[in-house]
Amino acid sequence: MSHIQVRGVEHYYEWIRQPSGSESKPVMVFIHGWAGSSRYWQSTAQVLSDKFDCLLYDMRGFGRSQGKARALEKAGEAVVEAESIPAQAAAAAELTYELEEYADDLAALLDSLEVGKVYLNAHSMGASIATLFINRYLQRVERAILTCSGVFEYDKKAFEAFYKFGGYVVKFRPQWLGKIPFVNRMFMARFLHRPIPNRESQAFLDDFLMADYDAALGTIFTSVSKYQAEIMPGEFKNLTVSTLLIAGEYDQIIPAKLAEKAAKFNDRVELVVMENTGHFPMLEDRDMYLKVVREFLNSGIRK
């Protein structure tokens, strides 16, 4: 577990590996969704680490990674005298919360860690970022697994209502909320169809409460937007790597029908709808999720 400077912002990352002797393993990168962190990918990565060196990281402004404001604040501390700080501060100041920027963050992270071609395993907003990453950095991706992703149509009234509600949710996040018994279960209820262990729902609530305000609010506007609704069909159509798209049958956040729509744009995208799961199929039905993923990794596209 460690931190690394990525485009002027300190990012958290960790490797989950199993000993393999002299055998070199491919790298699988895990990308979390909005207001979460890499913590909810750990159990999946532990299992897949028999075949992969698993790289987990927290995106800028989420989990244990800094947001732009905190990076600049740290850069300005009088005790810091490194010559690179002004350049890092300038780089951080130019960053936005567009999903393409987060794709570029990942490329810079891989460069810093000297990692070449990778497999991607991404969830929700992270899956949108992964899709953009594939099309921007095609030579760096072997295969991709996108969980709870899809394409949606722009609805002005619905989007404006979502922004208003989302803004309120991000603004009202008192830290004491995480200490109230059973609040974590209530918080996760809309995301789940099946219950998950209490420690995992508590971890997600904690991540939500600690997310950087600007990053959390900014990505609400960039991930659910007219622009994203317009470009994502083309992004799915342009995918040229074998891609597994996993949807939860009862996902209320990104309904399975949106994944079905996305899969129709490209015959290299294989769709699997997992029964009796919601927005976190990798946690709600671990065994089935891992079975589907391993089948995809061990064989070609089965269309």
Side-chain angles (χ1 to χ4, degrees), residues 27-90:
V27 173
M28 179 175 286
V29 181
F30 292 77
I31 311 174
H32 64 81
W34 182 81
S37 79
S38 58
R39 288 196 289 186
Y40 69 73
W41 274 125
Q42 286 179 329
S43 59
T44 303
Q46 289 285 355
V47 176
L48 294 178
S49 64
D50 63 336
K51 301 294 184 183
F52 295 88
D53 287 337
C54 297
L55 174 60
L56 286 67
Y57 77 105
D58 293 348
M59 290 190 290
R60 173 166 42 93
F62 298 104
R64 293 145 290 186
S65 291
Q66 290 184 335
K68 182 170 66 174
R70 279 180 286 175
L72 291 175
E73 182 180 350
K74 182 177 181 180
E77 291 177 358
V79 294
V80 178
E81 298 178 355
E83 293 181 0
S84 61
I85 288 299
Q88 291 174 354

Side-chain angles (χ1 to χ4, degrees), residues 90-111:
E94 295 173 357
L95 297 178
T96 71
Y97 301 109
E98 297 293 341
L99 301 192
E100 290 88 346
E101 289 274 18
Y102 280 94
D104 293 341
D105 286 351
L106 174 55
L109 173 67
L110 297 179
D111 287 343

